Amino acid sequence: QVQLVESGGGLVQAGGSLRLSCAASGSIFSINAMAWYRQAPGKQREWVAVITRGGNTNYRYSVKGRFTISEDNAKNTVYLQMNSLKPEDTAVYYCNAAGAAGSNRSFNSWGQGTQVTVSS
């Protein structure tokens, strides 16, 4: 079983910055990709950014140039640096990780979410 714990959310004014962290622990053999999603009130969860084991990254168009996803492989941790935040970035942000848990088992785990609120 793989657990993900997010931290770093909070309240910030428009134009400000926040850095989210997500640490994975448990029966991890390898991680293929880690990603961030978000869900605003009354809306569906949407993908924000992803980083693969090779270090390749991709971003949702609306956050490209403002958000940066990075990882610390030694710590099985992924980060999301969010700059120039906008009120429309307000949401609960969720971390997701997928990979191998050993013994030919795979995992796809979610964190509990962290609230990001951007005031105008």
Side-chain angles (χ1 to χ4, degrees):
Q1 192 172 0
V2 176
Q3 298 81 36
L4 302 181
V5 178
E6 300 120 331
S7 60
L11 173 63
V12 65
Q13 288 188 332
S17 299
L18 283 174
R19 188 192 193 210
L20 306 182
S21 299
C22 171
S25 63
S27 302
I28 299 172
F29 179 74
S30 63
I31 296 177
N32 294 331
M34 297 187 79
W36 288 95
Y37 289 72
R38 66 187 182 188
Q39 187 168 17
K43 295 188 177 181
Q44 289 190 332
R45 188 173 299 188
E46 62 184 23
W47 166 77
V48 175
V50 64
I51 186 165
T52 66
R53 185 164 55 177
N56 294 317
T57 59
N58 202 2
Y59 299 90
R60 183 176 195 83
Y61 180 80
S62 61
V63 308
K64 199 172 290 187
R66 299 188 297 122
F67 291 9
T68 302
I69 189 170
S70 61
E71 63 183 354
D72 183 334
N73 290 325
K75 297 181 179 179
N76 286 333
T77 298
V78 66
Y79 306 96
L80 187 67
Q81 177 67 44
M82 304 184 294
N83 299 329
S84 302
L85 282 161
K86 305 175 181 180
E88 50 264 42
D89 294 317
T90 295
V92 177
Y93 282 70
Y94 296 91
C95 176
N96 173 267
S103 301
N104 292 323
R105 291 182 294 118
S106 62
F107 69 88
N108 190 318
S109 298
W110 292 89
Q112 80 287 354
T114 185
Q115 177 70 47
V116 172
T117 303
V118 184
S119 62
S120 57

